[in-house]
Amino acid sequence: MKTKLSILILTMLMLITVNVNAQTSEKYTDNSKKQLISANEFYLRNNLGDYSEFKTATLNIREKLLYKDLKSTVNKHAEKYSLVNSYNNPHPNIDPKRQIYLFCSIKETKENMFHKFLIIDAETKEPISEGNGESWYYH
C-alpha cells in the first residue's frame, strides 16, 4: 500500500510541475516575511471552487509553505517516501520564497486510489495549480 501511495504522490508532483498555471505572467515575489493566515483557516474561510476533501480520505494535507518546499512537504506528509530526487521544473514567475497553500486529499480503496490537489498563492489567493486523478491497483 505504501508503494502505491508513493506512486500516487510522484504522479501528483509531476502534475504540479507540468500544470502550473501557464497564464501566470506577473512575477510572484518573495513574501516569506508577511504574516498570512494558516492553511487550515484559509480552507475553512474561503470557497475553494471545485476542491473539497474526500469525506472518507486516507490522507488530507492542509499546509502553508514556501514554494521551494513543495516537494519536501509532500514527502513529509507521505511518510517521507523516496518519491522524486529533485523538483526540476519550478515556475519561472514564482519566487522560491513565495508563500503558498497546498491542499491535497487522497482516498484509497482495495481497487483504486483517488486524489485531488489545489495549490493557491497565499497572498493573492489565486490558484496556481490543481488536479485530480485515479489509479487502479493491479492484482
Side-chain angles (χ1 to χ4, degrees):
M1 195 70 88
K2 287 183 180 180
T3 302
K4 294 171 187 171
L5 183 57
S6 65
I7 290 170
L8 168 71
I9 300 295
L10 171 61
T11 302
M12 187 180 78
L13 279 173
M14 290 187 326
L15 286 171
I16 290 168
T17 62
V18 172
N19 290 331
V20 170
N21 188 345
Q23 266 68 174
T24 303
S25 58
E26 178 182 328
K27 178 76 172 172
Y28 287 89
T29 58
D30 177 352
N31 66 357
S32 59
K33 304 287 188 226
K34 290 192 176 185
Q35 294 295 321
L36 301 169
I37 64 173
S38 72
N40 192 52
E41 284 181 83
F42 187 86
Y43 183 85
L44 296 172
R45 290 183 184 179
N46 291 277
N47 177 355
L48 301 182
D50 292 336
Y51 181 85
S52 63
E53 296 172 340
F54 291 113
K55 290 188 188 324
T56 57
T58 306
L59 174 67
N60 286 317
I61 302 171
R62 295 180 190 175
E63 192 81 30
K64 180 177 71 171
L65 60 138
L66 296 179
Y67 185 70
K68 70 181 182 78
D69 296 330
L70 184 58
K71 177 187 166 231
S72 62
T73 300
V74 172
N75 281 331
K76 176 183 79 170
H77 287 287
E79 299 178 16
K80 299 188 182 203
Y81 296 124
S82 178
L83 302 174
V84 179
N85 290 332
S86 61
Y87 183 65
N88 291 326
N89 191 19
H91 193 282
N93 290 336
I94 302 175
D95 189 287
K97 293 183 180 178
R98 185 76 179 183
Q99 293 182 71
I100 61 171
Y101 295 119
L102 168 64
F103 302 105
C104 177
S105 189
I106 299 169
K107 178 180 177 179
E108 292 181 86
T109 66
K110 289 182 182 180
E111 290 79 32
N112 47 18
M113 184 182 313
F114 305 92
H115 72 281
K116 48 187 162 180
F117 68 91
L118 176 62
I119 300 171
I120 296 177
D121 181 79
E123 185 176 356
T124 66
K125 302 178 183 175
E126 294 177 9
I128 294 172
S129 182
E130 57 188 314
N132 60 59
E134 180 177 0
S135 300
W136 290 271
Y137 295 142
Y138 298 100
H139 300 283

